Amino acid sequence: MALLSVSIALLAGLLMTRAFKPLKLPSVTAYLIAGVLIGPYCLGQLGIEGLGFTSGEAVSALSVVSEVALGFIAFSIGNEFIISDLKKTGKQALIIGVLQAVVAMLLVDAALIGMHFIMPDKLSLAQALTLGAIATATAPAATLMVVRQYKAKGPLTKLLLPIVALDDAVGLIAFAVSFGIAKTLVSGEIDLVSILVNPLVEIVCSLILGAIMGWVLTQLEKLFNSNTNRLNLTIAIVFLTASLSMLEFHIGPVQIHFSSLLTCMMLGTVFCNICPLSNDLMASTDKWTSPVFALFFVISGAELELGVFTDWAIVIIGLVYIVFRSLGKYFGAAGSAKLTHCSPQIVKYLGITLLPQAGVALGMCATAMQLGAEGNLIRNITLFAVLIYELFGPVFTRIALTAAGEIQPMSDEVHHRRQNKLEAAKEQEK
């Protein structure tokens, strides 16, 4: 039955891209809408196994696909951290990556704390601070897919991908500190280990593990001459790295765990900088991962809970969260880009490309469930925001990259060539 669900999900996603082609929407948006349609709130309501996902548990059963996809997404983004390029844009990416996240968090904090005083029975101070930290997170998956689909190239794209990668580390630290304060407000007990030590340990351990696996991959590549075997090895190492990043244990009061995104990003970074064949292997890997990414977004769409729209408090707080996070991302990116002397195009459009939000934010809200009953509201508001951002964020990213001149329309020559091929195929059929 799982295999049937996978095939239906992939077919639904692909067919939806054809249906949406006249609207010129990104494939990511089509995949997400396909997931919603075959999810528990639409076709799943019919209760026909295989036709759609009949429950949240049926979607969760395919979580391994999401883990694999996120590993390869992070691995691909890590390959953007080429040292020669970072010498030119590294400082700008670092400053913008930190400042845009902090500005988004502060604006959401301020807005939601204000909401707390307006409706204290609906939103607590601990919930407001936690949601502010979740606002820092940006979804690398949607951004990368839009860049790949439209073959975006230029200064904005080169700066965008490292910033999206850095966003994970900044978000982890911001969330750990804010969530630690939130837990203190709820329980009355101060835990400095959770606030300061654990997030730093997670980042350092993730980078070390990723670097080790990148070196291992490069050394093992030398044992094979066939490109097919090298591709198989690369896939196996990404699988292994993603699985190792799920390990978790304690040393005294300190929790040792890893960020799957950071670990696989570091794997890709080390690999692309020390392996001379990395470009060829990445090109082959991109072709292999295309259906995996499509499945990932269809499953993500099926996971979106439409039930959050039934609570007016969640809708109001969610809209405030979305508006102020969007303002924070846009003006935080614009201000820091101007501060680092970026071009006017980057200043104007970078913030728009940072709106998508999904995987990392959902991981944060899962952690927020430790607050007990207060965690439910955080989870529902995050789900509401993810639903909106994932459906519209890729569209805005495409618009911004097109306006910046980094997505080129199909040339007349390419268009005519494709038309001629189609006409020739029709003639042969006759």
Side-chain angles (χ1 to χ4, degrees):
M1 192 58 68
L3 186 59
L4 180 60
S5 297
V6 167
S7 60
I8 292 296
L10 187 55
L11 283 170
L14 293 173
L15 291 174
M16 192 59 69
T17 61
R18 296 302 88 193
F20 276 30
K21 189 174 181 180
L23 300 177
K24 297 183 178 180
L25 293 176
S27 294
V28 177
T29 304
Y31 293 143
L32 288 164
I33 292 176
V36 171
L37 292 177
I38 66 172
Y41 291 92
C42 293
L43 281 178
Q45 291 287 311
L46 299 176
I48 303 173
E49 294 288 342
L51 179 61
F53 295 104
T54 56
S55 65
E57 289 73 21
V59 182
S60 299
L62 299 180
S63 60
V64 66
V65 176
S66 297
E67 295 294 342
V68 168
L70 283 173
F72 278 101
I73 287 165
F75 178 66
S76 297
I77 291 178
N79 273 268
E80 299 297 327
F81 283 86
I82 299 171
I83 292 177
S84 58
D85 291 340
L86 288 178
K87 288 178 181 178
K88 302 174 185 176
T89 61
K91 184 179 178 181
Q92 291 176 327
L94 178 62
I95 293 173
I96 296 170
V98 173
L99 290 182
Q100 57 83 23
V102 171
V103 171
M105 179 179 69
L106 293 178
L107 276 184
V108 173
D109 275 341
L112 293 185
I113 289 172
M115 292 287 291
H116 160 68
F117 289 110
I118 296 172
M119 47 173 71
D121 57 323
K122 292 291 185 180
L123 183 69
S124 71
L125 191 57
Q127 290 169 327
L129 291 174
T130 304
L131 285 166
I134 292 174
T136 60
T138 299
T143 303
L144 180 65
M145 281 291 285
V146 172
V147 169
R148 281 188 176 179
Q149 178 185 351
Y150 295 102
K151 297 180 175 61
K153 290 182 181 179
L156 175 56
T157 304
K158 282 187 177 179
L159 192 60
L160 170 61
L161 293 177
I163 288 173
V164 170
L166 285 168
D167 205 69
D168 188 23
V170 177
L172 285 173
I173 296 173
F175 179 78
V177 174
S178 295
F179 186 59
I181 295 171
K183 285 198 295 185
T184 300
L185 292 172
V186 172
S187 65
E189 298 178 1
I190 298 176
D191 184 1
L192 292 178
V193 173
S194 296
I195 297 174
L196 299 175
V197 178
N198 284 341
L200 293 176
V201 168
E202 178 176 356
I203 291 170
V204 172
C205 288
S206 298
L207 295 178
I208 291 174
L209 176 60
I212 292 172
M213 296 306 295
W215 181 83
V216 169
L217 173 57
T218 304
Q219 299 309 308
L220 291 178
E221 294 283 4
K222 298 175 183 177
L223 301 177
F224 300 94
N225 295 320
S226 164
N227 285 335
T228 301
N229 286 335
R230 285 174 174 154
L231 173 62
N232 293 339
L233 175 66
T234 303
I235 292 169
I237 293 296
V238 175
F239 273 43
L240 178 60
T241 305
S243 61
L244 289 175
S245 66
M246 297 178 194
L247 296 175
E248 187 174 319
F249 51 92
H250 290 79
I251 299 178
V254 179
Q255 184 180 20
I256 307 296
H257 58 118
F258 306 89
S259 163
S260 176
L261 283 173
L262 275 182
T263 304
C264 292
M265 281 178 193
M266 194 61 179
L267 164 68
T269 299
V270 172
F271 177 62
C272 77
N273 281 286
I274 66 175
C275 178
L277 299 173
S278 61
N279 286 336
D280 293 338
L281 287 169
M282 279 307 303
S284 300
T285 303
D286 289 347
K287 294 177 182 178
W288 182 87
T289 55
S290 179
V292 178
F293 288 176
L295 268 175
F296 167 72
F297 285 106
V298 174
I299 293 169
S300 297
E303 287 176 331
L304 297 176
E305 296 194 16
L306 305 185
V308 296
F309 289 107
T310 60
D311 188 332
W312 67 269
I314 290 175
V315 173
I316 292 174
I317 297 170
L319 288 174
V320 171
Y321 171 92
I322 290 169
V323 168
F324 281 88
R325 177 184 178 271
S326 301
L327 291 173
K329 287 288 182 181
Y330 181 80
F331 289 107
S336 52
K338 199 168 185 178
L339 182 68
T340 53
H341 309 293
C342 292
S343 68
Q345 295 291 83
I346 292 175
V347 172
K348 187 175 181 179
Y349 296 111
L350 176 61
I352 300 173
T353 64
L354 298 174
L355 295 181
Q357 186 175 47
V360 179
L362 293 175
M364 290 177 177
C365 77
T367 303
M369 294 301 289
Q370 295 175 19
L371 293 177
E374 295 202 6
N376 289 324
L377 180 71
I378 295 170
R379 178 178 178 275
N380 288 334
I381 291 172
T382 305
L383 287 170
F384 174 82
V386 165
L387 175 63
I388 301 301
Y389 277 126
E390 283 298 272
L391 291 177
F392 296 101
V395 179
F396 290 140
T397 299
R398 180 188 66 81
I399 292 171
L401 290 173
T402 302
E406 303 198 3
I407 293 178
Q408 300 298 327
M410 187 188 299
S411 66
D412 291 338
E413 181 183 348
V414 173
H415 181 73
H416 289 316
R417 194 183 305 145
R418 289 189 178 182
Q419 287 295 114
N420 291 336
K421 285 183 179 179
L422 287 172
E423 290 173 3
K426 289 178 181 178
E427 287 296 325
Q428 288 181 355
E429 289 177 0
K430 293 178 181 179

Coordinates of all heavy atoms in Angstrom, one line a residue, residues 150-157 345-346 349 397-409:
Y150 N 14.0 27.2 -12.8 CA 14.1 28.3 -13.7 C 15.6 28.6 -14.1 O 15.8 29.6 -14.8 CB 13.4 29.5 -13.1 CG 11.9 29.3 -13.0 CD1 11.4 29.1 -11.7 CD2 11.1 29.4 -14.1 CE1 10.0 28.9 -11.5 CE2 9.7 29.2 -13.9 CZ 9.2 29.0 -12.6 OH 7.8 28.8 -12.5
K151 N 16.5 27.7 -13.6 CA 17.9 27.9 -13.9 C 18.4 29.4 -13.6 O 19.0 30.0 -14.4 CB 18.2 27.6 -15.3 CG 17.9 26.1 -15.6 CD 18.2 25.8 -17.1 CE 18.1 24.3 -17.4 NZ 16.7 23.8 -17.1
A152 N 18.0 29.9 -12.4 CA 18.3 31.2 -12.0 C 19.8 31.4 -11.8 O 20.5 30.5 -11.2 CB 17.6 31.6 -10.7
K153 N 20.4 32.5 -12.4 CA 21.8 32.7 -12.2 C 22.0 34.2 -12.1 O 21.3 35.0 -12.7 CB 22.6 32.3 -13.5 CG 22.6 30.8 -13.6 CD 23.5 30.4 -14.9 CE 23.5 28.9 -15.0 NZ 24.3 28.5 -16.2
G154 N 23.0 34.6 -11.2 CA 23.3 36.0 -11.0 C 23.7 36.3 -9.6 O 23.7 35.4 -8.7
P155 N 24.0 37.6 -9.3 CA 24.5 37.9 -8.0 C 23.5 37.6 -6.9 O 23.9 37.2 -5.8 CB 24.8 39.4 -8.1 CG 24.9 39.7 -9.6 CD 24.0 38.7 -10.2
L156 N 22.2 37.9 -7.1 CA 21.2 37.6 -6.1 C 21.1 36.1 -5.8 O 21.1 35.8 -4.6 CB 19.8 38.1 -6.6 CG 18.6 37.8 -5.7 CD1 18.9 38.4 -4.3 CD2 17.4 38.4 -6.3
T157 N 21.1 35.3 -6.8 CA 21.1 33.8 -6.5 C 22.3 33.3 -5.8 O 22.2 32.5 -4.9 CB 20.9 33.1 -7.9 OG1 19.8 33.6 -8.6 CG2 20.8 31.6 -7.7
Q345 N 19.6 45.9 -7.0 CA 18.7 44.8 -7.3 C 18.6 43.8 -6.1 O 17.5 43.3 -5.7 CB 19.2 44.0 -8.5 CG 19.1 44.8 -9.8 CD 17.7 45.0 -10.2 OE1 17.1 46.0 -9.8 NE2 17.2 44.2 -11.1
I346 N 19.8 43.6 -5.4 CA 19.8 42.7 -4.3 C 19.1 43.3 -3.1 O 18.3 42.7 -2.4 CB 21.2 42.3 -3.9 CG1 21.9 41.5 -5.0 CG2 21.3 41.6 -2.6 CD1 23.3 41.1 -4.8
Y349 N 15.2 43.0 -3.8 CA 14.5 41.8 -4.0 C 14.9 40.6 -3.1 O 14.2 39.6 -3.0 CB 14.6 41.3 -5.5 CG 14.0 42.2 -6.5 CD1 14.8 43.0 -7.4 CD2 12.6 42.4 -6.5 CE1 14.2 43.9 -8.3 CE2 12.0 43.3 -7.5 CZ 12.8 44.0 -8.3 OH 12.3 44.9 -9.2
T397 N 9.2 34.1 -4.8 CA 10.6 33.9 -5.1 C 10.8 34.0 -6.6 O 11.8 34.6 -7.1 CB 11.1 32.6 -4.5 OG1 10.9 32.5 -3.1 CG2 12.6 32.3 -4.9
R398 N 10.0 33.3 -7.3 CA 10.1 33.4 -8.8 C 9.9 34.8 -9.3 O 10.7 35.3 -10.2 CB 9.1 32.5 -9.5 CG 9.2 32.5 -11.0 CD 8.0 31.7 -11.6 NE 6.7 32.4 -11.4 CZ 6.3 33.4 -12.1 NH1 7.0 33.9 -13.1 NH2 5.1 33.9 -11.8
I399 N 8.9 35.5 -8.8 CA 8.7 36.9 -9.2 C 9.9 37.8 -8.9 O 10.3 38.6 -9.8 CB 7.4 37.5 -8.6 CG1 6.2 36.7 -9.1 CG2 7.3 39.0 -8.8 CD1 4.9 37.1 -8.3
A400 N 10.5 37.6 -7.7 CA 11.6 38.4 -7.3 C 12.8 38.1 -8.2 O 13.5 39.1 -8.7 CB 11.9 38.2 -5.9
L401 N 13.1 36.8 -8.4 CA 14.3 36.5 -9.3 C 14.1 36.9 -10.7 O 15.1 37.3 -11.4 CB 14.5 35.0 -9.2 CG 15.0 34.5 -7.8 CD1 15.1 32.9 -7.8 CD2 16.4 35.0 -7.5
T402 N 12.9 36.9 -11.2 CA 12.6 37.4 -12.5 C 12.8 38.9 -12.7 O 13.4 39.4 -13.6 CB 11.2 37.0 -13.0 OG1 11.0 35.6 -12.9 CG2 10.9 37.4 -14.4
A403 N 12.2 39.6 -11.7 CA 12.4 41.1 -11.7 C 13.8 41.5 -11.5 O 14.2 42.5 -12.1 CB 11.6 41.6 -10.5
A404 N 14.6 40.7 -10.8 CA 16.1 41.0 -10.7 C 16.9 40.6 -11.9 O 18.1 40.9 -12.0 CB 16.6 40.2 -9.5
G405 N 16.2 40.0 -12.9 CA 16.9 39.7 -14.2 C 17.6 38.4 -14.1 O 18.5 38.1 -15.0
E406 N 17.4 37.5 -13.1 CA 18.2 36.3 -12.9 C 17.4 35.0 -13.4 O 17.9 33.9 -13.4 CB 18.6 36.2 -11.5 CG 19.4 37.4 -11.1 CD 20.3 37.2 -9.8 OE1 20.3 36.1 -9.3 OE2 20.9 38.1 -9.4
I407 N 16.2 35.2 -13.8 CA 15.4 34.1 -14.5 C 15.1 34.7 -15.9 O 14.4 35.7 -16.0 CB 14.1 33.8 -13.8 CG1 14.4 33.1 -12.4 CG2 13.3 32.8 -14.6 CD1 13.2 32.8 -11.6
Q408 N 15.7 34.0 -16.9 CA 15.5 34.5 -18.2 C 14.4 33.8 -18.9 O 14.2 32.6 -18.8 CB 16.8 34.2 -19.1 CG 18.0 34.9 -18.5 CD 17.9 36.5 -18.5 OE1 17.3 37.0 -19.4 NE2 18.5 37.1 -17.5
P409 N 13.5 34.5 -19.6 CA 12.4 33.8 -20.3 C 13.0 33.0 -21.4 O 14.1 33.2 -21.9 CB 11.6 35.0 -20.9 CG 12.5 36.2 -20.9 CD 13.5 36.0 -19.8

